[in-house]
Amino acid sequence: MRNKILAIALVLGGASAALADPAAGVWKTAPGDTGGYLHVSIAPCGSAVCGTIKEAFDKNGSVSPDYEHKGKKMLWDMTSEGGGAYGGGKIWAPDSDKTYKSKMSLSGSKLNVKGCVAGGMICRGQDWTRVN
């Protein structure tokens, strides 16, 4: 019984640490080619953080209720490298349906998210802003 209590305490303690990740929350992407943007919910997933498309908006800021990728994972396996930097993950670009190696850096209410090729030598990214 004592071992079970200790195991539960360790699991709950680990979950609390993961929930406290500073990148956790809802983020607004930069506008795409059409002017539309997404809200991406970033939350712990195992020992990393992942991002799921929560909502899509058109160029006028109206919700796009029929957006085909709503609920899909956009970021995964992002691990903290300290100092607001994350790496080791992947990002899926819905507009091109391609997946890239990814890294991101957090600074206040801005999250710089990058997709990279050529072993991380060539990266393209955008700044996301915190919604909540």
Side-chain angles (χ1 to χ4, degrees):
M1 181 68 165
R2 184 176 178 191
N3 287 340
K4 286 183 182 180
I5 293 171
L6 181 58
I8 291 170
L10 288 173
V11 167
L12 291 177
S16 297
L19 291 174
D21 193 286
V26 178
W27 296 86
K28 177 183 174 184
T29 67
D33 293 339
T34 64
Y37 58 92
L38 302 172
H39 279 181
V40 177
S41 178
I42 295 181
C45 58
S47 61
V49 293
C50 298
T52 303
I53 298 171
K54 181 176 179 176
E55 201 69 75
F57 298 85
D58 65 19
K59 65 181 178 184
N60 299 316
S62 298
V63 173
S64 301
D66 297 328
Y67 183 66
E68 64 184 323
H69 302 303
K70 185 175 177 179
K72 290 185 180 178
K73 198 174 280 187
M74 188 171 178
L75 285 167
W76 60 93
D77 294 338
M78 298 298 288
T79 56
S80 176
E81 296 176 342
Y86 294 78
K90 300 278 187 183
I91 187 167
W92 172 63
D95 58 343
S96 65
D97 195 26
K98 292 187 180 182
T99 301
Y100 303 95
K101 289 184 178 182
S102 184
K103 55 186 172 181
M104 56 189 197
S105 59
L106 177 64
S107 178
S109 63
K110 297 285 182 200
L111 184 66
N112 181 263
V113 181
K114 295 181 179 180
C116 305
V117 296
M121 299 294 291
I122 302 169
C123 298
R124 185 178 137 209
Q126 55 180 228
D127 288 330
W128 295 3
T129 53
R130 186 181 293 277
V131 174
N132 63 26

